[in-house]
Amino acid sequence: MEQFTSFIDLINHFADKLNYEQSSWYKGYKNTHQQVMANPTSDASLELLWYTRDNSVSSLKQGAPSSKEFQEAKEVFSEISKLITQSPNEETYKLVQNKLKQAKQNGVVSKMYWALLNRAFAAVAPERVTSTVDADSFKMVVNYINKQFGFDVNLDGNWFENNIRFKEAIAKQLPEGTNPYYVNMAVWHTCDQLAKDAQEAKEKKQNNKTNKISEPS
């Protein structure tokens, strides 16, 4: 991972390098947000939030229901979507978690779709939460950002609480008007780069170990 003097430098690095303004991710992310906010309970919006594997907010290849399950749970998803768009806050996060748990207990959904639920909040409120919807991945990248840029984000809460704390902390150091989509995209790209660096380090260590074993005595 390259070293940066400030968090805004990191954001600008990825925004310039990956041409955020013209990228399909940026355009799709905004379009998904606008469509969901315009009519959160339409069939198109419900599919974007709860069924589509990659809705331009986040890709969940294994973390979304089957077509059959989605259709059977559509009423629950519609209710949750409406609640989230009305009030994307901590109280709502806990409320819809309970509704999803109840749906699982009733056999409407087969499991707790944590990342899917987080993605719905990310689609509705990009200024409040990031699009790094896996809780462990989010903690990993924020720990890195804490260390690199002198933030002190407490990560002992749930995914939503931790995101709120992170957004509040960085707001104090980012220029006014910083694009929230750019922030979220840069956080994810940082997370992705850290994962790649860790994999490369692991492979290098394994190669060094293999080479040492194979050296003639």
Side-chain angles (χ1 to χ4, degrees):
M1 186 75 186
E2 295 184 44
Q3 298 300 305
F4 304 94
T5 58
S6 67
F7 186 52
I8 190 61
D9 286 341
L10 179 148
I11 295 171
N12 290 337
H13 163 79
F14 283 116
D16 292 341
K17 180 181 179 181
L18 302 175
N19 192 14
Y20 279 180
E21 187 66 29
Q22 298 302 319
S23 69
S24 58
W25 184 13
Y26 178 55
K27 294 176 181 178
Y29 196 165
K30 289 198 300 181
N31 286 340
T32 294
H33 168 73
Q34 291 166 359
Q35 179 172 325
V36 168
M37 294 306 293
N39 192 348
T41 59
S42 70
D43 285 347
S45 291
L46 292 176
E47 284 193 13
L48 275 175
L49 289 177
W50 304 104
Y51 176 69
T52 304
R53 269 50 180 172
D54 185 353
N55 67 356
S56 294
V57 175
S58 179
S59 178
L60 300 174
K61 295 179 181 178
Q62 303 297 327
S66 66
S67 178
K68 180 176 182 294
E69 185 177 4
F70 167 70
Q71 293 298 331
E72 292 176 348
K74 187 177 282 189
E75 184 176 339
V76 173
F77 289 145
S78 179
E79 180 184 5
I80 291 175
S81 299
K82 189 173 182 179
L83 289 168
I84 293 173
T85 52
Q86 288 175 342
S87 300
N89 55 32
E90 174 61 21
E91 183 179 356
T92 299
Y93 189 73
K94 292 178 179 179
L95 174 62
V96 297
Q97 276 187 329
N98 289 333
K99 288 187 177 295
L100 199 56
K101 288 177 183 178
Q102 189 62 54
K104 181 178 180 296
Q105 291 173 2
N106 294 340
V108 179
V109 294
S110 61
K111 64 179 182 179
M112 284 299 297
Y113 289 103
W114 295 112
L116 195 67
L117 181 61
N118 295 343
R119 189 177 72 168
F121 276 87
V124 168
E127 74 287 351
R128 304 200 73 197
V129 297
T130 71
S131 56
T132 304
V133 298
D134 177 78
D136 290 336
S137 295
F138 178 73
K139 284 186 177 181
M140 182 267 292
V141 70
V142 174
N143 279 326
Y144 168 82
I145 292 170
N146 274 341
K147 182 178 179 180
Q148 291 297 313
F149 307 116
F151 293 106
D152 188 25
V153 180
N154 186 318
L155 296 172
D156 64 357
N158 60 41
W159 177 86
F160 187 87
E161 290 171 327
N162 292 339
N163 267 265
I164 293 297
R165 293 169 185 169
F166 173 68
K167 287 283 190 163
E168 289 176 348
I170 65 173
K172 298 174 182 178
Q173 295 191 25
L174 292 179
E176 185 176 353
T178 300
N179 191 317
Y181 296 97
Y182 283 19
V183 173
N184 295 352
M185 293 165 71
V187 169
W188 187 89
H189 280 126
T190 301
C191 184
D192 185 54
Q193 188 60 57
L194 290 172
K196 289 177 180 177
D197 291 348
Q199 182 61 32
E200 288 178 5
K202 180 179 179 181
E203 291 175 356
K204 183 177 180 180
K205 183 178 180 180
Q206 184 61 43
N207 289 337
N208 289 340
K209 183 178 180 180
T210 301
N211 291 337
K212 185 175 291 187
I213 293 174
S214 62
E215 287 177 0
S217 56

